Amino acid sequence: MIRTTWIGPILGALLLVACGGEPPVPVQKFEGFAQGTTYHVSYWSEQVVDGKQVQAEVDRTLAELDKLLSNYRADSAIEQFNVSAATVGQTVDAQIVALVKVAQTVSQLSSGCYDLTVKPIFELWGFQNDELHVPDQAAIDAALANVGMSKLEIVDDVHLLKKLPSLRVDLSSIAQGYSVGKVAGAMEHLGIENYLVEIGGELKSNGHKPDGKAWVIAVEKPLPGERMMHKTVTLPKDAPMAVMTSGTYRHYFDLKGQRYSHILDARNGRPVGHDLVAVTVFHENPTVADAWSTALLCLGQEEGMKLADNEKLQALFIQQRGSEFVESKTRALTTSTAVTIN
């Protein structure tokens, strides 16, 4: 699923902002391609680490996750599950079951707006292969018959059961956040405690810059076809923080004056039609933040804000009203001392 991204050049410029000269330890950076997008890692360590080993470990981690979670390769573990028509418990990797558990909770709390089994609707509207069109209601109804988290059952920590042979699970709305967390874990396993990990715009930080100041990142303005800084965010120095953003403005099509976003409401099989264009969630767990950013965007401003407040989520909502952007923060973000938005 294509979503909001961070501004790479501005992100890099802000990492060492206001350092007051050369830092005592240099920040190491590397980047690459993974999961159909790019990744960027910045880190520093007082202990000597082998930069080539760090990058190799990150690349190995990402390759393993791609083989496990990608819905775009037929040999992945999740696609092997999807092509099976068996309606008995199937053995799957424990990591997939863990992701489904998170998604089930978010799906239930969002009244089914967020749903991992929405893939048939995504394909029906042409977002899968960029063959974009508006299907008729009969086709939408037929696709909806194959959608629903209630049709997917967790048997135990390594088994999932389809209640419908044609049911398919699309992990794209949660897998990237999970991948960010796994890469961060790989960094920590190598003894690196101060880092920024970003994959396709999804990010997790830990620690601080070499001079003791906080990491600072830039958030993109939610405009299609443009890359402009909207806000800067100062992240906490004493705790990990994931920053996950979903937006309606990166993958869409216009027809007869109507815009159709790739953010789909699994309850009615249609793209969302509200004025909420982006939601950013701040959470220590990148997997949870990733799922919630999509779910809240799906629900829209009123429903999404109410649910986010009920769940005590730190979230920033951006609505577009004509040429103006209107921001609102959840109560938890408004009172947060961990995240500063300017």
Side-chain angles (χ1 to χ4, degrees), residues 28 33 55 84 114 120 133 149 205 248 264 281 286 316 329:
Q28 306 297 320
F33 294 92
Q55 185 164 5
S84 172
Y114 174 76
H133 68 284
M149 288 292 284
S205 72
T248 62
L264 303 171
V281 174
L316 173 68
K329 300 176 182 178

Side-chain angles (χ1 to χ4, degrees), residues 56-69:
E57 182 64 15
V58 167
D59 287 336
R60 183 194 64 79
T61 300
L62 290 169
E64 289 182 354
L65 290 169
D66 195 58
K67 184 70 180 292
L68 185 68
L69 308 176

Side-chain angles (χ1 to χ4, degrees), residues 150-215:
S150 63
K151 301 178 177 71
L152 180 66
E153 179 181 328
I154 295 175
V155 180
D156 56 36
D157 288 345
V158 291
H159 291 88
L160 291 176
L161 185 149
K162 296 181 183 182
K163 297 180 181 179
L164 193 69
S166 58
L167 194 72
R168 290 179 291 162
V169 176
D170 187 335
L171 297 172
S172 61
S173 64
I174 195 170
Q176 209 163 78
Y178 181 72
S179 298
V180 168
K182 291 291 286 185
V183 170
M187 301 285 287
E188 293 172 7
H189 182 73
L190 294 172
I192 300 169
E193 299 179 352
N194 300 280
Y195 58 77
L196 282 174
V197 171
E198 176 264 331
I199 305 174
E202 313 290 42
L203 180 144
K204 182 181 179 182
S205 72
N206 197 61
H208 50 79
K209 294 183 291 186
D211 63 355
K213 293 186 171 70
W215 297 111

Side-chain angles (χ1 to χ4, degrees), residues 266-286:
R267 298 171 296 186
N268 59 27
R270 293 182 173 276
V272 297
H274 50 64
D275 64 357
L276 186 62
V277 292
V279 175
T280 298
V281 174
F282 304 87
H283 197 281
E284 63 272 13
N285 187 323

Side-chain angles (χ1 to χ4, degrees), residues 103-120:
Q104 278 188 338
T105 299
V106 175
S107 181
Q108 291 168 359
L109 289 169
S110 68
S111 302
C113 194
Y114 174 76
D115 194 310
L116 292 186
T117 69
V118 76
K119 193 173 179 66

Side-chain angles (χ1 to χ4, degrees), residues 125 127 132-135 248-264 270-273:
W125 284 82
F127 287 108
L132 307 169
H133 68 284
V134 178
T248 62
Y249 58 95
R250 281 300 178 200
H251 199 187
Y252 63 89
F253 67 97
D254 295 321
L255 183 65
K256 297 180 180 179
Q258 176 70 41
R259 175 157 294 180
Y260 299 93
S261 165
H262 77 291
I263 301 296
L264 303 171
R270 293 182 173 276
V272 297

